[in-house]
Amino acid sequence: MITFTMDGQQMQVAEGRTILEAARERGIPIPTICYHEALAPFAACRMCLVELANRRGGQLAPACAYPCEEGLIVLTNSEKVRRSRRMTIELLMASSAHVPLIRAMADELGVAAPRFTMAEDDCILCGLCVRACDEIVGVRAISLVNRGIAKEVSPPFRIASNACIECGTCVLICPTGAITLADVTGGGHSVHPWQSEFDAIDCRLCGHHPEAWRFADPAAALTEEVAP
Ligand code: SF4
Ligand code: FES
């Protein structure tokens, strides 16, 4: 077991537990965007940064990926942490201030408007869709491509390497509603906002062709039973 301190509380956790897992077990709130319990930590959004008070003069570290260490002193809501979160949300607001999740987080952090502006985009590049497609579905039909401000999610194309089974996992896991899966005519489908049409392949696990359970309304997929 590891013994450490979080916000003045001494805690014991099994080796390998992250700071975020320990915090959630104790009901200590740490905001997250790119974290999902079903996926490996990605540490992309930096929203979950906490202060490690006795490491390198108060180093900031992503709680979702940083493992608890013996003797560690963690501060989840210090001024340094709040300043960092405000900057993170401001950067996200530059292109996605219209997204309800970002708006709500900004309100929570007291950030009214960003100092920077970019072209409006529903996607905040959290990578959840790409990782879910890889780690949960196992088909890697989409990926994050390019670097810096050119970074984007790359869709399946109408080429032989198309791997999408049209399961809709990316639609369901996206926290901003940036992806919708819509029926189009002729047996193809369109994944927005990329506008690419493609024919989904059969699922390699169940062999099912997705035409039997395609859906036009992603929200309905949460309540509709998927055909076996
Ligand atoms: S499309 Fe959605 S899930 Fe994928 S990276 Fe963008 S915001 Fe995240
Ligand atoms: S939730 Fe930890 S870096 Fe995104």
Side-chain angles (χ1 to χ4, degrees):
M1 298 291 275
I2 303 283
T3 304
F4 73 107
T5 304
M6 192 182 304
D7 294 346
Q9 290 185 49
Q10 195 174 78
M11 301 182 181
Q12 280 202 321
V13 294
E15 200 163 334
R17 302 288 280 167
T18 63
I19 292 172
L20 181 65
E21 288 169 333
R24 291 198 166 168
E25 280 164 15
R26 297 291 182 103
I28 296 174
I30 296 177
T32 60
I33 295 178
C34 71
Y35 172 79
H36 192 288
E37 56 273 18
L39 301 171
F42 191 50
C45 73
R46 318 307 281 176
M47 186 52 73
C48 70
L49 289 189
V50 292
E51 183 175 349
L52 309 182
N54 58 345
R55 295 285 187 276
R56 295 184 198 162
Q59 173 192 349
L60 291 172
C64 66
Y66 201 96
C68 299
E69 291 172 352
E70 188 67 34
L72 195 61
I73 298 175
V74 180
L75 302 175
T76 69
N77 197 27
S78 64
E79 179 47 37
K80 193 174 191 174
V81 167
R82 288 194 298 274
R83 204 165 49 236
S84 159
R85 287 179 189 155
R86 284 195 295 269
M87 176 55 78
T88 298
I89 204 70
E90 235 191 293
L91 292 170
L92 289 168
M93 288 171 83
S95 60
S96 307
H98 62 288
V99 170
L101 170 75
I102 300 305
R103 188 69 260 160
M105 287 186 140
D107 288 347
E108 182 81 24
L109 291 162
V111 178
R115 285 167 287 175
F116 333 100
T117 51
M118 289 173 64
E120 192 172 282
D121 197 343
D122 289 348
C123 177
I124 55 173
L125 297 172
C126 67
L128 282 169
C129 55
V130 171
R131 290 180 290 138
C133 186
D134 177 10
E135 297 176 33
I136 297 175
V137 188
V139 301
R140 298 185 185 176
I142 49 177
S143 52
L144 283 168
V145 297
N146 302 327
R147 287 171 184 266
I149 59 169
K151 196 170 181 180
E152 61 180 352
V153 177
S154 177
F157 296 99
R158 188 187 285 278
I159 55 175
S161 63
N162 173 18
C164 182
I165 59 169
E166 213 177 357
C167 63
T169 302
C170 57
V171 180
L172 299 176
I173 205 166
C174 176
T176 67
I179 314 172
T180 56
L181 195 60
D183 251 338
V184 295
T185 55
H189 289 77
S190 175
V191 177
H192 297 285
W194 306 304
Q195 306 294 330
S196 65
E197 288 184 20
F198 63 97
D199 293 317
I201 64 169
D202 291 348
C203 172
R204 67 184 163 84
L205 294 180
C206 67
H208 210 63
H209 188 57
E211 278 190 352
W213 46 282
R214 67 176 59 162
F215 50 86
D217 175 7
L222 292 168
T223 51
E224 278 175 12
E225 265 190 36
V226 172

